[in-house]
Amino acid sequence: MDVNAKIHFLLNVMPALSIESIEEISRGWDHDIIIINQSYVFRFPKKKEGLHRLETEAYLLSKLHEHNLSIQVPHYELFYKEERLVCSMHKKIDGEPLEKLEQLNSAEAAVQLGTFLTTLHTLNTEKLLQQGLKTIHTQRYWENFYAEITSKISPFLRSSEQKEVRMIFNRFLSNREKHMYPTAPIHGDLTGGNILYNSASKNISGIIDFTDAQISDPAFDFAGFYWEHGPQFTREVLEHYQVSLPKEELFHRVSAFYGLQPVFHEWLHTANEKSDPNFEIGLDKLRRLQSLQ
């Protein structure tokens, strides 16, 4: 559907909707997004498999809404055409994407994020599995991911840089089966782009885009904090994470592997989009973070 067809559909399912402004966002990896009147966010999956994931995402969010969260999450209404899901709608959460830690009261943010992840990671896994939430980050997933890095990215790296990347992945892949940690429902993409902050209160106002939610290692949800804000803030969030998991083991998985992954995902995305990844910036940050371990 082009944007005109989408608007026509929305006016059919919401006849009382009076449109004053339309903002179209198509740069996302998974959805085309239309924001109407700066108040309503409509998400149209770009691929067929995204339709079922959107229904599962809606169920997960409904479970989060049963808890008294200090951070807002979307509340979805799903719209169908002839029993086929077309899109979701939720009221826009006020706030701006978090870019720098200095924008926040970091101590309060650590409490908010630690409490939010405690709630998310202790949701009923069995019920979410029954609703279609899957495990994406399997051993095979990471092996395939590394193979893709090797074929698409490594040829552009120097031999010493290839060795650095190889050590990061080999260290994790060779030891993964030795760490039999419990899995839990996770957000799967908890980076600054999906964390909204209120500039007036300097607190987190919302968390959005649960497209990558899955049943996986809870440590993965700390990766964005580590990559974007460093180990100290990650540890502060962990202090307020009230789940009976060995926190040092969890932090080690973040610092040695998960917290380094955003650069590889970005490289692959730009390579697949036929753009030129900026290797030097990513490599410099990898080295800085590893020096802090």
Side-chain angles (χ1 to χ4, degrees):
M1 272 194 285
D2 63 20
V3 65
N4 290 327
K6 290 170 184 170
I7 296 299
H8 180 73
F9 169 78
L10 295 178
L11 290 173
N12 279 334
V13 295
M14 298 180 68
L17 181 64
S18 176
I19 298 179
E20 298 174 3
S21 67
I22 299 172
E23 179 183 358
E24 186 182 13
I25 303 173
S26 299
R27 62 180 178 271
W29 295 8
D30 301 296
H31 297 89
D32 290 326
I33 298 173
I34 293 177
I35 303 175
I36 293 182
N37 301 342
Q38 287 298 306
S39 299
Y40 300 99
V41 179
F42 298 89
R43 300 169 74 224
F44 293 79
K46 291 186 174 182
K47 299 177 182 178
K48 188 175 294 186
E49 58 265 26
L51 295 171
H52 179 66
R53 289 173 65 182
L54 193 58
E55 290 181 311
T56 304
E57 189 180 341
Y59 178 81
L60 169 63
L61 289 167
S62 74
K63 295 291 105 180
L64 282 173
H65 274 280
E66 294 177 1
H67 298 265
N68 186 24
L69 297 172
S70 67
I71 296 176
Q72 294 184 69
V73 297
H75 187 81
Y76 283 177
E77 183 175 352
L78 301 180
F79 293 123
Y80 295 80
K81 181 178 182 180
E82 297 175 354
E83 300 185 354
R84 181 179 180 274
L85 179 63
V86 175
C87 70
S88 68
M89 183 275 285
H90 67 86
K91 291 184 178 179
K92 186 181 179 184
I93 297 172
D94 290 334
E96 299 296 327
L98 178 64
E99 296 179 355
K100 298 178 181 178
L101 195 57
E102 291 76 15
Q103 294 168 312
L104 292 175
N105 176 336
S106 62
E108 178 61 27
V111 174
Q112 287 184 284
L113 291 168
T115 303
F116 169 77
L117 288 178
T118 298
T119 301
L120 174 61
H121 292 173
T122 53
L123 291 179
N124 190 306
T125 298
E126 191 61 37
K127 288 185 178 179
L128 288 165
L129 284 168
Q130 292 171 3
Q131 292 296 321
L133 201 63
K134 300 182 183 302
T135 298
I136 299 171
H137 293 162
T138 61
Q139 176 84 359
R140 179 61 60 85
Y141 168 89
W142 290 116
E143 290 172 351
N144 290 341
F145 184 72
Y146 179 42
E148 199 171 2
I149 292 290
T150 301
S151 65
K152 295 181 179 179
I153 302 300
S154 291
F156 299 98
L157 302 177
R158 302 181 183 93
S159 59
S160 60
E161 295 165 347
Q162 292 177 18
K163 183 178 179 181
E164 290 180 65
V165 173
R166 186 163 58 248
M167 286 178 62
I168 291 170
F169 279 90
N170 285 346
R171 183 173 54 203
F172 177 78
L173 293 172
S174 62
N175 291 325
R176 187 168 170 79
E177 292 183 1
K178 298 177 183 177
H179 301 286
M180 301 303 293
Y181 40 79
T183 57
I186 69 169
H187 180 282
D189 189 18
L190 203 51
T191 57
N194 293 327
I195 298 174
L196 305 179
Y197 82 100
N198 183 308
S199 58
S201 65
K202 292 194 172 183
N203 283 334
I204 294 171
S205 57
I207 291 177
I208 58 174
D209 195 354
F210 287 71
T211 303
D212 294 311
Q214 58 182 284
I215 306 296
S216 191
D217 183 358
F220 190 82
D221 269 347
F222 295 83
F225 310 151
Y226 190 84
W227 178 255
E228 294 175 347
H229 308 303
Q232 181 178 342
F233 181 69
T234 305
R235 286 191 179 278
E236 290 175 9
V237 177
L238 277 167
E239 286 181 14
H240 302 283
Y241 181 62
Q242 303 301 316
V243 175
S244 58
L245 297 173
K247 292 186 180 180
E248 277 305 313
E249 290 182 17
L250 188 150
F251 179 80
H252 175 72
R253 296 198 297 279
V254 176
S255 61
F257 188 71
Y258 294 132
L260 309 177
Q261 290 308 303
V263 69
F264 299 121
H265 284 278
E266 184 62 30
W267 284 351
L268 271 185
H269 179 65
T270 53
N272 289 333
E273 294 293 316
K274 310 300 183 185
S275 302
D276 293 324
N278 192 322
F279 295 114
E280 286 305 317
I281 291 177
L283 287 165
D284 285 347
K285 188 160 186 179
L286 274 178
R287 291 164 185 150
R288 288 199 308 274
L289 285 174
Q290 290 189 94
S291 72
L292 296 173
Q293 292 179 28

